[in-house]
């Protein structure tokens, strides 16, 4: 079986050009008890060909950000303010119908529940064909569609005959590969991978991440990885954002954030994760739970759990400020946060 | 597949023998026999009664009667009806069966079709204003005391508004001196409807295969409905027996609607909850992310999967056609097998009652077989082995 993306359309990449700009995005869920501030003032930019990672604990707003970008939020969600610009165009201003035609064509998604991403009663090939029918209506013959789908399957290392199988006949890893193949169907500029490998075993997880990375660089796509597992994400991303309680608390080049996290939350999150390749180290559990977003803490949302917190943290909200080299941190005391490497060596 | 069917048929045959035996024994357990009804009057000499019992074989020991009944049954002889002597049980059932089947089939098919559509739509437009009204109506129809509901329907539409005849299958005055037999005419009506249905289904398949665009398909489908339904109506309009046919149709409406409404409520609620469950599935989110139009997500992805539990309930309800008809047929004096069964049991007409229940059993067994085969078509995860 040969894996090749040769026959798929590749894109010229200019890494200085922004593709997706999320600008001060605020999104709330309205429930009976009040408003849940799920995404609060999130700003980041994905450049052409860039891989961006978003990490954080469960319930910190990662998936809400992902769904916001595609406008797939449930009915009770409300965009309070901010912009999501794709190639300079604000997606929040589009009509529902315009947005529908953009989905998958411009932004495709690899979902968290990859196992259940397939409708059990249709053949996998027919579910991919549906995408082509919708976005290239009348532009492809049945045979051309088949040919295209076989190329997509080849790109993720699946034999073309598998197109005629039902989802339950695939293994977990194969299903996830097929999902990636489907995501490539319209050569989108951006893929959002929400926990793409969470349900898979470690070996398959590694294979799939590497393949996704290779496809992404070779085809010149941008990608947003979303995961709770910072170690997994650090391997494949260029930039890394850390989210806490609906806010982006740290953002910067992956190497910087990973080696020298400056936000206490990012620092503690990293310290609580064992490293397979790095030095053996004492693990420090991250105490407490993320706050209730119906009534988030005043000031810095992390202050109730933060060992560095002072009175100021409870009153004033720290801005996401640049500390040099594109590394941005939302903390009043970032200078006190020790370097992770130093801390580990001690 | 063939091995599965063969094995299932053997199982079904065995099950049927057990079923028939139980039914027969339970009927025997009823106190008294037909002679109580026919010659139970103390003024009639006892010898008459003895002779009657002897002639009907009721004086034989139970096990002999049982063996005689079972062996005759599998020779194709269901015996002679005691209360309608000397008519054969099979003849009597055959006379009544079409009326029951038509009543139930029409009511069930329409109720499921409408119930599925409206259940699908209210689940899709969740939170809409009409949702509460539909749920309230559905719960009312599902839980209402059925005989009372039937009488209310009769009172409103038959008596108060006077739109439909109150009961029975035909209007006796109209049919007096008629050159036609109601049963024959009814059978012709069924046949013509079946023929039109077949034409319609074939037409739909052909349209699906040969239509090139979506709008063309929609147009052709409308044309097909017009031609088939129009053709059927025109045929009976030009038929010499038109007034008699109209009379039968007129009598059919109220029982069909009443029965249909109750099934409709249950189906709608079932579809709604099944649909709400599928709408929460991950593949619906995938379908939305793929940029599919809402109609495609609703019909192709959500409703298609919500169909599975609804199909189960459809098939099971079809199996209960005959037994479940007792109430409807009694209230509307509808001369079908349900009413026949009730009458047979009242007078201890054991061969007739056992015959009707046997037909019910066969329908139930066949219904389950059909359901199992249908599942494999609807859900590729289910395999027959």
């Amino acid at each position: 079986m040969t894996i090749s993306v040769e026959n798929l359309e590749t894109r010229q990449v200019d890494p200085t050009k922004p593709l997706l700009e999320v600008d001060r995005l605020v999104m709330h869920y309205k429930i009976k008890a009040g408003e849940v501030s799920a995404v609060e003032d999130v700003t980041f930019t994905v450049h052409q060909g860039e891989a961006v990672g978003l990490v954080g604990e469960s319930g910190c707003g990662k998936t809400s950000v992902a769904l916001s970008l595609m406008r797939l939020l449930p009915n009770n969600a409300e965009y309070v303010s901010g912009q999501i610009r794709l190639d300079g165009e604000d997606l929040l201003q589009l009509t529902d119908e315009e947005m529908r035609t953009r989905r998958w064509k411009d932004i495709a998604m690899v979902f968290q529940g990859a196992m259940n991403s397939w409708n059990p009663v249709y053949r996998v090939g027919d579910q991919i064909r549906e995408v082509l029918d919708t976005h290239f209506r009348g532009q492809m013959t049945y045979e051309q569609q088949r040919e295209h789908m076989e190329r997509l399957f080849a790109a993720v290392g699946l034999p073309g005959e598998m197109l005629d199988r039902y989802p339950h006949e695939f293994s977990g890893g194969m299903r996830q590969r097929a999902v990636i193949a489907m995501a490539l169907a319209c050569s989108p500029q951006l893929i959002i991978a929400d926990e793409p490998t969470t349900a898979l075993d470690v070996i398959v997880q590694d294979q799939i991440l590497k393949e996704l990375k290779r496809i992404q660089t070779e085809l010149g796509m941008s990608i947003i990885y979303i995961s709770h597992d910072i170690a997994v994400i650090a391997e494949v991303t260029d930039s890394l954002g850390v989210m806490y309680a609906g806010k982006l608390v740290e953002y910067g080049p992956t190497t910087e954030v990973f080696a020298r996290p400056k936000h206490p939350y990012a620092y503690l999150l990293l310290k609580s994760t064992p490293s397979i390749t790095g030095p053996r180290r004492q693990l420090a559990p991250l105490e407490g739970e993320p706050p209730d977003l119906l009534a988030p803490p005043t000031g810095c949302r992390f202050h109730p759990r933060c060992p560095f917190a002072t009175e100021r943290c409870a009153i004033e909200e720290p801005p996401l400020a640049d500390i040099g080299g594109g590394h941005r941190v939302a903390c009043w005391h970032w200078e006190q946060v020790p370097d992770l490497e130093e801390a580990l060596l001690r | 597949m063939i091995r599965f069917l063969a094995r299932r048929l053997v199982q079904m045959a065995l099950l049927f023998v057990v079923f028939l035996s139980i039914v027969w024994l339970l009927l025997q357990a009823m106190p008294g026999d037909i002679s109580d009804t026919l010659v139970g009057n103390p003024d009639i000499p006892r010898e008459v009664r003895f002779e009657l019992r002897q002639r009907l074989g009721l004086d034989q020991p139970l096990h002999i009667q049982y063996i005689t009944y079972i062996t005759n049954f599998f020779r194709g002889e269901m015996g002679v009806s005691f209360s309608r002597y000397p008519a054969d049980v099979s003849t009597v059932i055959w006379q009544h069966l079409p009326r029951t089947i038509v009543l139930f089939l029409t009511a069930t098919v329409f109720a499921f079709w409408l119930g599925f559509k409206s259940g699908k739509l209210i689940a899709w437009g969740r939170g809409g204003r009409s949702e509460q009204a539909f749920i309230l109506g559905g719960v009312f129809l599902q839980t209402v005391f059925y005989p009372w509901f039937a009488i209310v329907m009769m009172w409103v539409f038959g008596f108060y508004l006077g739109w439909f005849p109150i009961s029975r299958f035909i209007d006796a005055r109209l049919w007096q001196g008629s050159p036609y037999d109601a049963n024959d005419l009814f059978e012709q009506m069924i046949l013509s409807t079946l023929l039109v249905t077949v034409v319609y289904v074939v037409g739909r398949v052909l349209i699906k295969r040969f239509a090139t665009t979506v709008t063309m398909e929609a147009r052709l489908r409308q044309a097909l409905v017009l031609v088939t339904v129009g053709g059927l109506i025109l045929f009976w309009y030009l038929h010499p027996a038109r007034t008699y046919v109209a009379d039968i149709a007129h009598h059919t409406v109220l029982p069909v609607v009443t029965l249909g409404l109750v099934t409709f409520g249950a189906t709608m609620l079932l579809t709604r909850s099944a649909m709400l469950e599928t709408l929460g599935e991950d593949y619906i989110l995938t379908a939305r992310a793929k940029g599919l139009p809402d109609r495609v997500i609703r019909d192709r992805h959500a409703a298609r999967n919500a169909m599975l539990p609804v199909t189960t309930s459809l098939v099971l309800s079809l199996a209960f056609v005959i037994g479940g008809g007792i109430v409807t047929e009694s209230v509307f004096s509808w001369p079908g097998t349900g009413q026949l069964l009730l009458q047979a049991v009242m007078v201890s007409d054991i061969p007739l009652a056992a015959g009707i229940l046997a037909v019910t059993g066969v329908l139930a067994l066949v219904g389950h077989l059909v359901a199992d085969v249908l599942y494999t078509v609807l859900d590729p995860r289910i395999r027959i082995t």
Side-chain angles (χ1 to χ4, degrees), chain A residues 9 11 103-106 108 131-132 135-136 148 152 181-189, chain B residues 290:
Chain A
E9 190 189 331
R11 208 182 291 277
R103 289 192 192 122
W104 219 259
K105 203 168 185 188
D106 288 340
V131 173
L132 303 175
H135 295 292
F136 302 111
H148 182 60
L152 294 172
M182 180 156 76
L184 301 175
C186 305
S187 329
Q189 295 170 282
Chain B
K290 275 153 81 176

Side-chain angles (χ1 to χ4, degrees), chain B residues 252-298:
Chain B
T252 319
V253 174
L254 201 54
V256 165
V257 168
T258 308
L259 189 64
L261 273 176
V262 174
T263 320
F264 165 80
T267 312
M268 182 182 68
L269 294 177
L270 180 67
T271 310
R272 176 179 166 272
S273 59
M275 182 86 175
L276 285 178
E277 204 173 299
T278 38
L279 282 177
E281 295 282 351
D282 286 338
Y283 53 77
I284 298 296
L285 188 63
T286 311
R288 288 177 62 212
K290 275 153 81 176
L292 304 182
D294 280 359
R295 201 177 48 80
V296 175
I297 300 172
R298 189 191 68 202

